[in-house]
Each structure stands twice: as C-alpha cells, then as structure tokens.
Amino acid sequence: MYAVNAALPEAGDGEGDGSPVELDGVPAYRSVGAVGEPVDLAIVAVPAERVPEAVADCGAHGVRGLVVLSAGYAESGPDGRERQRRLVRQARSYGMRIIGPNAFGIINTADDVRLNASLAPQTPAAGRIGLFTQSGAIGIALLAGLHRRGAGLSSFISAGNRADVSGNDFLQHWYDDPGTDVVLLYLESIGNPGSSPGSPAAPPPSSRSSSSRAPGTAAAPRPATGCPSPASRTPRSPRCSGRPG
C-alpha cells in the first residue's frame, strides 16, 4: 500500500536521500510513477477537477482499476453527468475500470487481501456474505447492522454512481467466488438485468442465494400453502382456502 500526493516534497523525505515520506506509516510519493512497483488498484480521493490528472497518472503507469471517492459527478446535475462521461472515456482509454464515482469504497476480508479501501471506520469480520450498495449511507447502516448480528462479509462494495462497474458485474464475480455463499444488494436502479446470474443469458443457477431491494419497495411474501399472495393475484389465479393441503 502506498500514498500518492503531488503536494509532497520533491526530494523524498526532504533530506536528499531519496527515501519516501511516510504518512501514518505508509510510504508516500508525489506520483504513481515514483512508486517504482506495479500498482493494481488506486483509490482516488481528490476534488473532481483534479481527478483527470490522477486518472492520467494511474493510466500511464499501468494501474488496472480505480475506486473514485470524489463527488461532483452525475449526482450534481447536467454538468456533473458530462464530467462523469468524460471520466469513463478517459479511464477506458487506458483499459482501466472504475468503481464510482461518488463511491463509499470497497472492503475485501480474504486472508490474502485484507483490504479496507473505504470510509468505514473499521473492517468487518470475515464471513461468506457479499454486500453491494449504491448509497454510502445505506452501506454504513448495513455494515453496522451486520456487525451487531455477528455476520461476517467476504467483500463489500458501495459503488456510488455506478458509472462503469455495476452490481451485475459483482454478481457475476460472486457467482464464481468460493468464499461467498450469500449476496445482498441495495440497488436504486437495475441497468441490465439480462447480464445477471439467473437470467436467461446467464449461467444456470447454483445453490447460492441473493437478495436485492430497491428503495421504497417491500416484499410481498408468498403464503406457505403455495397460493399466490394478494399483491400478485390476477383474475386467472387459482382460488385458495388459505389452509394447507
């Protein structure tokens, strides 16, 4: 893990020996190129007007993925939507994928990763639940609720505006992830249902389960008798007594 900040001194630690500054014990450099080692993932947390500069630095030095925490994009109006389109075009020109912008971050509890690249105050316990949200506030509430119940996570993503990587992408990842058995999603919209596991265009279902909820909706439970629920009944639905058997 490295920190990158263009405001750092030119000469490493300021003593002329070329060694990096340390920020909270993390080696820090003025640019991604100065790190001198491959970087897979960059967490971008700068004002929106500085993001293109950060993306160019990452792309020029082989970064594969970005988590953009910066706000000021589609959530802020027409100008922000155009800024978001430019961000995606710029990242794709380097072959990079984006989580965000306006993201809350990502967490991976796998033993060989142990990454908390989010604004969450603490890393959740390891477990077998994959959690995806758009809203950072909902993400915070769900993390707190799962923590109170002692439920562990395999990974957590709060993707903000979902300009590039979406919930469908993570569903496909979790479908093949041996460390995830259950998937929870909080979605404000579904962009391409046909690409989700379980759709006609997706692989056949496995024993894993997923649950999604859009804001302002409630599930209509199906009675144990097998009769349709009142919310789903139509004139052609069978008449049921409501009693088993």
Side-chain angles (χ1 to χ4, degrees):
M1 181 182 296
Y2 307 97
V4 175
N5 191 323
L8 291 171
E10 284 279 0
D13 62 2
E15 297 179 1
D17 62 1
S19 60
V21 175
E22 287 197 355
L23 300 178
D24 290 334
V26 177
Y29 300 87
R30 285 178 54 84
S31 69
V32 176
V35 172
E37 296 184 17
V39 176
D40 294 324
L41 177 69
I43 315 302
V44 180
V46 298
E49 60 270 18
R50 299 292 302 276
V51 169
E53 175 187 342
V55 172
D57 186 24
C58 291
H61 295 96
V63 176
R64 302 297 300 276
L66 304 172
V67 179
V68 181
L69 307 185
S70 310
Y73 289 89
E75 81 284 355
S76 64
D79 291 343
R81 283 193 290 273
E82 178 56 33
R83 184 182 297 116
Q84 183 166 297
R85 285 191 284 266
R86 292 196 301 268
L87 169 63
V88 174
R89 287 196 297 267
Q90 182 187 15
R92 286 180 176 171
S93 72
Y94 291 105
M96 293 187 293
R97 302 297 303 272
I98 298 173
I99 295 175
N102 193 32
F104 186 73
I106 62 174
I107 297 173
N108 189 325
T109 64
D111 289 337
D112 57 344
V113 180
R114 299 298 298 174
L115 172 69
N116 185 349
S118 77
L119 302 175
Q122 61 183 14
T123 301
R128 306 188 66 82
I129 299 173
L131 173 61
F132 179 95
T133 75
Q134 287 182 248
S135 164
I138 294 295
I140 293 172
L142 290 174
L143 286 174
L146 290 169
H147 177 72
R148 286 196 302 271
R149 289 164 174 79
L153 297 180
S154 62
S155 48
F156 163 77
I157 303 93
S158 183
N161 296 357
R162 297 186 308 167
D164 182 18
V165 178
S166 70
N168 290 338
D169 294 306
F170 280 101
L171 272 177
Q172 292 173 352
H173 160 71
W174 282 318
Y175 183 87
D176 295 320
D177 178 23
T180 301
D181 291 333
V182 177
V183 174
L184 305 176
L185 303 98
Y186 176 86
L187 303 174
E188 296 174 8
S189 63
I190 300 177
N192 183 15
S195 67
S196 301
S199 70
S206 70
S207 60
R208 297 173 190 172
S209 62
S210 65
S211 174
S212 63
R213 180 63 53 83
T217 65
R222 183 176 178 178
T225 60
C227 300
S229 68
S232 62
R233 188 171 295 148
T234 69
R236 297 184 176 223
S237 299
R239 300 182 67 178
C240 302
S241 64
R243 291 191 292 269

